[in-house]
Amino acid sequence: MKTRLSFICAALIVLLPPTVSAQTFNKAGRASLQFLKIGVGARQTGMGESGISVIRDVNSLFWNPAGITGISSAEASFSYSRWLADMNYVAGAAAVRWGDIGTVGVSFSHLGYGDIPEALAVVESGSSDTRTGSFFTGYDMLIGLSFARQFTDNLSVGVTGKYLHEKLFEYAVTTFAFDVGTLYDTQFKGIRFAMSAQNFSGAVKYLDVGSRNEGYDIPLLFTIGASVDVVNPGDAFINAGEFHRLTLALETVNSNDYGERWHVGGEYAFDDFLFLRGGYRFNYEEGNISLGAGIRKTLGDIDVRVDYSYVSYKFLTSPQRVTLSVGF
């Protein structure tokens, strides 16, 4: 027990210095590859993105790789979101438990910009309409490979390596990054703790010439979360019968291009079939309130889950997400 607690304390010491320093300044708009901040998975986003210590399914690959140790055999998922400005965001993931060795997973996401009208800075005619009649496009892409292992009944650790590519018109940039995450289940009243550090990488440059020789950082995210099963048929604070479960979660998120943010959320489950979710994100200009729902059904040997989430935006189109997950 002392060894496990020492590991958690050491991880906190490693993660906290950048967390504290990130609160002293705000570098909004100075990081590239911003699509890495788009939440994947309707279950996670329906809870206000507060689930790194709660959710242990295949979509944990996009949040905390240690979470995939909750997969008993194999899982796969597909997510779709009609993102801002008519952009389309799709993501997929699959993971397989490799006996006692660990769990291996692959992930993919793609943000398509759609057709963008081409326009020149100026035209010879002097017209204010500088559109050429042509179109161009762009996209962001992520491919990830993950491995996670449950070292004890309480502690899981995971790591992800990622290939990142962004293209706009004729300009493109490619880089590599990695994530690390831990999950600690106290096995007392459903209390769990988790930490993740995402997008460790160097700076990227889009042009061979220019005044910004140092390039642009990518979003470096540090997240610490905790959750508790308030209502549960087993070991919980309230036992309301075998059909009811309520989990509450809290997270703090720090990044290298914004100040500290907080996420709170919850999930209610009825008979492990119907799920209702809600959450709130603090220190965001948009997308504070989120709602979600889902159903789960076993069809033969296949476990099927369909989840939906809605995130409320005041001035922009509110994104909606749908996720289909299957377990074998």
Side-chain angles (χ1 to χ4, degrees):
M1 184 65 178
K2 291 182 179 179
T3 302
R4 299 170 191 167
L5 290 176
S6 298
F7 180 89
I8 295 174
C9 292
L12 281 170
I13 292 172
V14 170
L15 293 180
L16 281 178
T19 299
V20 174
S21 63
Q23 300 177 40
T24 61
F25 59 92
N26 189 335
K27 294 169 58 179
R30 297 194 61 184
S32 61
L33 297 173
Q34 287 291 309
F35 85 105
L36 293 171
K37 290 184 176 181
I38 300 176
V40 177
R43 187 182 178 193
Q44 283 88 344
T45 55
M47 292 180 61
E49 303 185 3
S50 64
I52 69 164
S53 63
V54 180
I55 301 173
R56 303 185 65 184
D57 62 16
V58 67
N59 287 311
S60 296
L61 290 170
F62 299 99
W63 304 86
N64 177 11
I68 61 173
T69 57
I71 296 173
S72 58
S73 180
E75 284 188 16
S77 74
F78 175 80
S79 297
Y80 171 78
S81 174
R82 186 69 167 177
W83 196 239
L84 309 177
D86 292 329
M87 293 187 288
N88 293 298
Y89 189 57
V90 297
V96 178
R97 190 175 188 89
W98 192 5
D100 295 332
I101 297 176
T103 305
V104 179
V106 293
S107 52
F108 169 83
S109 67
H110 182 278
L111 176 66
Y113 299 168
D115 293 329
I116 304 172
E118 182 184 62
L120 304 176
V122 294
V123 292
E124 293 182 359
S125 64
S127 173
S128 60
D129 187 357
T130 61
R131 290 175 295 179
T132 65
S134 299
F135 293 85
F136 66 95
T137 189
Y139 64 89
D140 294 304
M141 183 176 67
L142 175 154
I143 300 175
L145 177 63
S146 305
F147 175 78
R149 178 180 172 84
Q150 185 169 342
F151 289 91
T152 69
D153 292 340
N154 307 90
L155 179 65
S156 298
V157 178
V159 62
T160 297
K162 298 190 290 190
Y163 166 86
L164 306 173
H165 182 77
E166 183 173 78
K167 182 177 182 180
L168 180 62
F169 189 45
E170 60 184 23
Y171 304 102
V173 64
T174 298
T175 189
F176 296 89
F178 71 93
D179 305 343
V180 293
T182 63
L183 177 67
Y184 188 82
D185 188 346
T186 67
Q187 297 190 356
F188 174 76
K189 302 296 183 181
I191 298 175
R192 296 168 292 269
F193 301 96
M195 294 177 291
S196 70
Q198 296 177 276
N199 308 322
F200 284 105
S201 178
V204 296
K205 292 186 63 176
Y206 292 84
L207 302 174
D208 293 331
V209 295
S211 59
R212 190 177 176 85
N213 295 322
E214 70 272 22
Y216 293 84
D217 294 329
I218 71 173
L220 180 59
L221 307 176
F222 295 90
T223 306
I224 299 176
S227 60
V228 58
D229 291 335
V230 180
V231 179
N232 197 308
D235 181 26
F237 290 95
I238 301 174
N239 189 334
E242 60 178 330
F243 297 112
H244 304 280
R245 178 175 59 82
L246 175 62
T247 301
L248 300 179
L250 170 68
E251 287 182 9
T252 177
V253 182
N254 284 268
S255 69
N256 59 346
D257 67 342
Y258 209 86
E260 186 178 45
R261 288 167 163 171
W262 291 82
H263 302 165
V264 295
E267 177 183 68
Y268 167 76
F270 175 76
D271 196 23
D272 207 27
F273 167 74
L274 175 64
F275 300 84
L276 300 175
R277 307 180 184 100
Y280 192 91
R281 305 191 305 168
F282 294 88
N283 200 21
Y284 285 80
E285 288 77 15
E286 288 274 29
N288 301 100
I289 300 174
S290 62
L291 299 171
I295 56 173
R296 181 179 182 181
K297 183 69 176 179
T298 300
L299 303 175
D301 295 330
I302 302 177
D303 182 51
V304 180
R305 180 194 292 268
V306 179
D307 295 302
Y308 166 83
S309 71
Y310 171 88
V311 182
S312 178
Y313 278 50
K314 295 179 181 178
F315 304 105
L316 301 172
T317 302
S318 297
Q320 303 179 59
R321 295 173 175 87
V322 177
T323 300
L324 172 64
S325 304
V326 293
F328 305 93

